[in-house]
Amino acid sequence: MTRILGFESSCDETGVALIEVEGGRPPRLLAQALHSQIAMHQAYGGVVPELASRDHVRRVLPLTREVMAQAGLALSDVDLIAYTQGPGLAGALLVGAGVAVSLAAALEVPALPIHHLEGHLLSPFLSADAPEFPFVALLVSGGHTQLMRVSDVGLYEILGETIDDAAGEAFDKSAKLLGLPYPGGPHLARLAEFGNPQAYALPRPLLHSGKPDFSFAGLKTAVLTQVKKLGDAPCDQAKADLAASTQAAIVEVLVKKSLLALKESGLRRLVVAGGVGANAQLREQLNAVCARRGVRVHYPELSLCTDNGAMIAMAAALRVQRGMAKPRRDGGFEVRPRWDLSAA
């Protein structure tokens, strides 16, 4: 039996979680705790890196104590410590990595660096309806939008990705143009519930390119043009209609490109991971079209779509089970703010 303590601190959430893995059984989540910095960053309209790093310093140890208390275990019961090495904000990554490696040294256990996107990619394995390999993954997290073939842990082949803005950025930037607060994506989705998704004819870049690549920069420009046409004081309904039309454009592109990747790969299983994967319209449309095609769709639990420590501990657990883990015991570490998943 191996108990893994996972730390996530790549951006504006501090996450800590404890997972237990035994033999070939599915890893079991024992406890987790998460602190979001949304309220702190709202006044600035986005994440302030220095403030994010300082808040991680304040939160990480209390969250660790909370997790161990939930599990009814002591730190001496931990066998391995995993942490996010990248990508992310350099200062924020350094906080989590520094605490993780220091704690590992104090406990005389190894420390294992984990790729943040691999954590998201494997987070559906924490759900009751866990996927099986191989599958196509739609990874829509922050500044990343990628489609990939996942043959097993560590075996990732990129099928398509964004050539400019990511889907999450399209949501957030469009929301900001509409005057919505940070974080924009969820606010835009809530406003869209009251709008007409066909009110504005917004572009779907690369929709008919025949390739599973994405582009959302043109959509953002189109939203800006419509906002200017609405003037300085648009009515609530006009804003709701534009929000609904924006969401419809993003979701249609994500759905169509996912179907194309499934067709090209010949696979019948789709995993959706990352913050945008919590979008209700995306889930509804993917569920509908995939059901008609006999494709199984898997998502992480809604609470695990955003950054969290459980996904980092889970990625570590799956690597341990496969004998792929390469932990360190020398107390050294580095962070990788930019890091291609295919190089992990």
Side-chain angles (χ1 to χ4, degrees):
M1 180 189 300
T2 302
R3 296 193 179 103
I4 302 171
L5 187 63
F7 291 93
E8 157 61 29
S9 68
S10 64
C11 190
D12 59 346
E13 273 106 9
T14 315
V16 184
L18 185 65
I19 278 182
E20 184 178 86
V21 58
E22 184 173 5
R25 298 175 185 174
R28 185 165 67 99
L29 178 62
L30 300 181
Q32 67 165 325
L34 182 71
H35 175 77
S36 173
Q37 301 175 2
I38 286 176
M40 180 178 69
H41 295 296
Q42 276 181 334
Y44 306 96
V47 177
V48 181
E50 178 63 23
L51 294 181
S53 301
R54 293 181 182 185
D55 200 63
H56 287 310
V57 172
R58 286 192 292 268
R59 307 290 180 179
V60 64
L61 292 180
L63 289 174
T64 303
R65 287 191 286 268
E66 181 181 339
V67 164
M68 301 312 298
Q70 283 181 29
L73 296 169
L75 282 172
S76 57
D77 295 313
V78 172
D79 302 296
L80 174 69
I81 295 181
Y83 63 93
T84 303
Q85 185 180 26
L89 302 174
L93 291 167
L94 282 168
V95 174
V99 169
V101 172
S102 298
L103 185 57
L107 297 174
E108 297 183 337
V109 299
L112 178 64
I114 295 294
H115 196 293
H116 176 78
L117 296 181
E118 183 173 70
H120 275 300
L121 190 64
L122 301 177
S123 61
F125 284 90
L126 287 159
S127 70
D129 182 29
E132 296 177 2
F133 297 104
F135 54 79
V136 169
L138 171 63
L139 185 58
V140 274
S141 171
H144 304 272
T145 298
Q146 296 175 320
L147 280 161
M148 58 185 69
R149 179 190 177 101
V150 180
S151 299
D152 206 324
V153 177
L155 297 177
Y156 313 128
E157 177 191 354
I158 294 179
L159 304 175
E161 58 188 337
T162 184
I163 62 173
D164 42 55
D165 284 354
E169 291 172 322
F171 269 112
D172 290 341
K173 291 178 180 180
S174 297
K176 192 168 186 177
L177 291 171
L178 285 165
L180 301 176
Y182 168 86
H187 286 285
L188 187 145
R190 283 193 286 272
L191 180 59
E193 294 177 10
F194 304 98
N196 175 6
Q198 298 177 331
Y200 295 91
L202 297 177
R204 275 75 165 159
L206 299 185
L207 185 64
H208 303 293
S209 68
K211 298 179 180 179
D213 289 318
F214 303 88
S215 171
F216 292 104
L219 174 61
K220 177 195 66 178
T221 303
V223 172
L224 174 60
T225 299
Q226 294 299 333
V227 168
K228 289 180 177 178
K229 289 181 179 179
L230 291 176
D232 295 332
C235 68
D236 291 342
Q237 189 57 55
K239 291 176 66 176
D241 287 345
L242 185 51
S245 299
T246 302
Q247 177 176 253
I250 297 171
V251 168
E252 182 179 357
V253 171
L254 293 175
V255 170
K256 292 287 179 64
K257 296 294 185 175
S258 296
L259 293 177
L260 178 60
L262 285 163
K263 181 180 178 180
E264 290 186 351
S265 68
L267 297 176
R268 312 295 293 174
R269 193 179 299 273
L270 176 68
V271 163
V272 183
V276 178
N279 183 273
Q281 277 298 308
L282 177 61
R283 290 191 175 210
E284 180 180 321
Q285 292 191 31
L286 277 175
N287 288 341
V289 299
C290 287
R292 290 196 296 268
R293 290 164 171 79
V295 173
R296 289 287 309 279
V297 189
H298 301 265
Y299 309 91
E301 306 295 342
L302 285 173
S303 62
L304 298 176
C305 285
T306 56
D307 298 347
N308 60 85
M311 69 183 195
I312 300 305
M314 172 56 81
L318 292 175
R319 283 185 169 267
V320 166
Q321 281 188 320
R322 286 159 173 76
M324 298 171 59
K326 297 179 180 179
R328 297 178 61 169
R329 289 181 175 270
D330 61 0
F333 68 92
E334 62 176 336
V335 297
R336 304 179 69 172
R338 294 184 179 275
W339 188 12
D340 193 320
L341 181 57
S342 62

